[in-house]
Amino acid sequence: MGRVRSALVRPWTVGVLMVAVAGAGFGLYWFQPWKLWQDETVQEALPEAPAAVSTPPAGGPSGAESTPPPAGPATLASGELISHEHATSGTVKFVRLSDGSHVVRLEGLDTSNGPDLHVWLTDAPVKEGRAGWHVFDDGRYVSLGKLKGNKGSQNYAVPEDIDPSRYTSVSIWCDRFDVSFGAAELTRA
């Protein structure tokens, strides 16, 4: 009787063990807990427009410039990051570059690393605490790309067809779990 019982238990044990290993593998892939201990620092300078080439006008003095020098980058709006799902701090700036393009700049960013983090430009209000964790995908938002690093200063190009006046906040958004790690309300300069 012991042999029959052993033969019946063995397939169940192997099956349960295989399901447990597959479940653990999926859980590790989905949550990626090791990222909580991995910091990725990115230090990017604010992009500058290429220098304008000045050519003297035909028949004009050789020292005269035909185009004025470009104005430097201008901060149109800014705000301080507040914590949501994870402790997050730093400054967000919405900057118009001298060539007319726009970037969202994160300065002094300090947050947790995590799976599938993105920088979102949104029209959602920034709310403190748990009330602000899930609001950013309720309205209009634009993903500016994957978060380059969870620490440092970095730039995210804003697509040309985006009207900056329609967006009021920036979120560090975890697409995997649909939650904000932190966000900043943009106050116009």
Side-chain angles (χ1 to χ4, degrees), residues 2-59:
R3 291 180 125 183
V4 171
R5 186 176 201 192
S6 177
L8 290 175
V9 171
R10 217 173 277 150
W12 282 98
T13 304
V14 170
V16 167
L17 186 60
M18 287 178 63
V19 168
V21 168
F26 177 77
L28 287 173
Y29 165 76
W30 190 253
F31 289 97
Q32 299 178 356
W34 57 87
K35 287 195 170 192
L36 292 173
W37 296 280
Q38 293 177 333
D39 287 331
E40 205 165 323
T41 302
V42 173
Q43 293 295 347
E44 290 182 329
L46 184 63
E48 300 205 14
V53 178
S54 61
T55 57

Side-chain angles (χ1 to χ4, degrees), residues 81 84 92-94 103-106 109 115-126 132-148 154-159 162 166-186:
L81 286 163
H84 281 146
V92 176
K93 293 182 178 178
F94 192 90
V103 296
V104 167
R105 178 162 175 79
L106 305 178
L109 174 66
D116 209 15
L117 295 179
H118 293 259
V119 177
W120 278 13
L121 185 60
T122 79
D123 67 351
V126 176
W133 287 17
H134 302 283
V135 300
F136 297 99
D137 60 349
D138 294 343
R140 185 178 313 117
Y141 63 88
V142 176
S143 177
L144 302 179
K146 286 192 171 268
L147 187 68
K148 297 173 184 177
Q154 46 212 269
N155 307 301
Y156 296 87
V158 177
I162 298 301
R166 299 179 79 182
Y167 297 92
T168 58
S169 60
V170 171
S171 174
I172 308 300
W173 185 257
C174 179
D175 249 355
R176 172 96 23 104
F177 295 105
D178 292 328
V179 67
S180 174
F181 273 35
E185 185 175 338
L186 296 173

